Amino acid sequence: GAVVSQHPSWVICKSGTSVKIECRSLDFQATTMFWYRQFPKQSLMLMATSNEGSKATYEQGVEKDKFLINHASLTLSTLTVTSAHPEDSSFYICSARDAQGLSPEAFFGQGTRLTVV
Amino acid sequence: AQTVTQSQPEMSVQEAETVTLSCTYDTSESDYYLFWYKQPPSRQMILVIRQEAYKQQNATENRFSVNFQKAAKSFSLKISDSQLGDAAMYFCAYRKDTGRRALTFGSGTRLQVQP
């Protein structure tokens, strides 16, 4: 099956600093990638849709200036949490679909556990 | 807006027995996909099974099968011959066939498997 690699798997950062999370599709091209956030014992909530070569689409209530998304190539999307605060601590998961539409399901990265201290 | 509801926060099953997880959804679309994802303690999302709305036949993947009732907007997952490795969070998810293709997830059901 298709592989999506997310890096890092965990990160601890100081309050006020920025953290970048990478999401790569390893064996397929993805014009669209999705970023989700998952709080402990809760479901996945869509934060934004990342579109290759254009601006990301953010869900209502998600601060686009805080969660910067860049999708510069067909295999890489990045999420940068700017000026992180403890309330940004969470589990972030990306997913991607095959641009050729060969499979209807999305493939998920391993997730990134962010802890802001 | 589409919504997905999982009314069972936790379920428990004996090893080798059968368990059914419930899911209902709300949509005005006629073409869409439904999925069950498993999230073990590693938190990696693993696709268990998918169902295309245009297919009347229920999807089956080895010990996993679904009961898809389109008119009732119901999509339950049956796990047969439960194994210890089936213990995980299970999420029901919905996706439109066109337009916005992000997944909408239910709140999840934590499945425990008793030896």
Side-chain angles (χ1 to χ4, degrees):
Chain A
V3 178
V4 174
S5 177
Q6 190 172 337
H7 179 81
S9 56
W10 63 271
V11 58
I12 302 173
C13 71
K14 291 185 177 180
S15 186
T17 62
S18 295
V19 174
K20 180 183 286 187
I21 302 170
E22 293 187 347
C23 181
R24 294 180 184 273
S25 55
L26 297 186
D27 50 2
F28 66 98
Q29 293 183 331
T31 53
T32 303
M33 293 186 178
F34 305 97
W35 287 95
Y36 296 86
R37 183 173 181 175
Q38 185 179 30
F39 289 106
K41 298 185 179 181
Q42 293 190 25
S43 187
L44 284 73
M45 299 300 295
L46 180 69
M47 297 176 64
T49 301
S50 170
N51 302 296
E52 187 268 335
S54 64
K55 292 183 178 180
T57 303
Y58 290 82
E59 295 300 298
Q60 190 173 7
V62 177
E63 298 177 60
K64 62 180 181 181
D65 294 331
K66 177 167 207 43
F67 299 99
L68 299 179
I69 291 173
N70 183 276
H71 193 156
S73 77
L74 286 172
T75 59
L76 174 64
S77 175
T78 60
L79 168 67
T80 301
V81 183
T82 62
S83 186
H85 291 284
E87 56 265 31
D88 299 324
S89 298
S90 189
F91 192 69
Y92 294 87
I93 309 176
C94 70
S95 75
R97 287 192 62 234
D98 187 331
Q100 294 183 331
L102 299 177
S103 176
E105 60 255 32
F107 302 96
F108 286 84
Q110 308 95 312
T112 298
R113 182 183 301 278
L114 170 63
T115 302
V116 184
V117 298
Chain B
Q2 293 82 21
T3 58
V4 179
T5 302
Q6 292 179 251
S7 58
Q8 305 156 315
E10 290 192 12
M11 292 285 284
S12 182
V13 64
Q14 291 290 128
E15 198 174 3
E17 296 296 309
T18 295
V19 65
T20 298
L21 307 184
S22 301
C23 173
T24 59
Y25 59 96
D26 188 25
T27 183
S28 58
E29 303 288 330
S30 57
D31 293 324
Y32 50 88
Y33 293 89
L34 295 165
F35 307 87
W36 278 98
Y37 279 90
K38 171 184 178 180
Q39 189 180 44
S42 69
R43 303 189 80 170
Q44 172 74 56
M45 297 292 285
I46 302 167
L47 177 66
V48 175
I49 199 166
R50 78 163 189 261
Q51 174 80 44
E52 291 86 342
Y54 66 85
K55 290 187 177 179
Q56 292 185 336
Q57 187 172 6
N58 290 322
T60 299
E61 287 287 342
N62 300 314
R63 299 183 294 108
F64 300 87
S65 61
V66 299
N67 184 0
F68 173 49
Q69 301 290 327
K70 190 173 185 179
K73 297 180 181 176
S74 170
F75 182 60
S76 61
L77 173 69
K78 185 171 79 171
I79 305 174
S80 303
D81 187 24
S82 297
Q83 301 175 0
L84 294 177
D86 295 334
M89 281 290 290
Y90 286 82
F91 292 100
C92 178
Y94 163 98
R95 179 177 76 74
K96 286 170 57 176
D97 187 30
T98 58
R100 167 181 159 145
R101 296 187 178 185
L103 293 169
T104 300
F105 288 91
S107 55
T109 297
R110 180 171 300 281
L111 178 66
Q112 295 182 327
V113 181
Q114 307 295 335

